[in-house]
Amino acid sequence: MKIILWGGVALLALFWTGGAAILAEAVQWSAQWVSAGSTSTLEAAAKNIVLPVWLAPWFDPAGISSVLETLQDMLGSFSSVLPTMGMVMGWLIPAIWITWLLGVLALVGAGVAGTLILSRFQKS
């Protein structure tokens, strides 16, 4: 039973580590992208979005166009702030790994507690 418990802890730790690594890489990639000032590409892409004809019965074209205009305005206003956000996002990677450490410690603590509980029930 202890082998199953620690196998489960190891599997959860593996998923936790993989998730943290993927999140850290995504944050690093987005920080580089944001600090490079690539918002003009997004603005251009938002201006070129056209609602397909077959979606017109389900969505109001005027409502969709107002949402796209709002998106364009937001991207235009964020373009001056985004280079500084790249520096702030650099602090997220250490925060991700600190959170990972706390999660792994909690998993190991749960494994130890489970082992102690199992050993008490197996003795009696």
Side-chain angles (χ1 to χ4, degrees):
M1 196 68 170
K2 290 180 184 179
I3 294 175
I4 294 172
L5 173 73
W6 282 105
V9 168
L11 185 65
L12 287 174
L14 181 68
F15 285 137
W16 182 251
T17 303
I22 290 171
L23 184 61
E25 286 298 318
V27 166
Q28 184 177 6
W29 172 78
S30 63
Q32 291 171 353
W33 183 79
V34 164
S35 64
S38 300
T39 58
S40 60
T41 333
L42 280 178
E43 276 185 88
K47 288 180 184 177
N48 293 331
I49 294 176
V50 179
L51 184 66
V53 177
W54 58 273
L55 283 178
W58 292 287
F59 296 103
D60 181 28
I64 295 294
S65 65
S66 68
V67 168
L68 291 176
E69 288 174 10
T70 305
L71 178 67
Q72 292 168 5
D73 292 339
M74 284 180 13
L75 289 173
S77 65
F78 285 144
S79 63
S80 62
V81 179
L82 287 178
T84 57
M85 284 181 63
M87 292 174 24
V88 172
M89 290 176 76
W91 286 95
L92 286 177
I93 295 174
I96 289 168
W97 288 113
I98 289 171
T99 305
W100 169 82
L101 174 66
L102 294 174
V104 168
L105 289 175
L107 281 172
V108 169
V112 168
T115 301
L116 292 175
I117 290 171
L118 284 175
S119 65
R120 284 191 182 180
F121 283 128
Q122 288 176 353
K123 285 182 182 177
S124 54

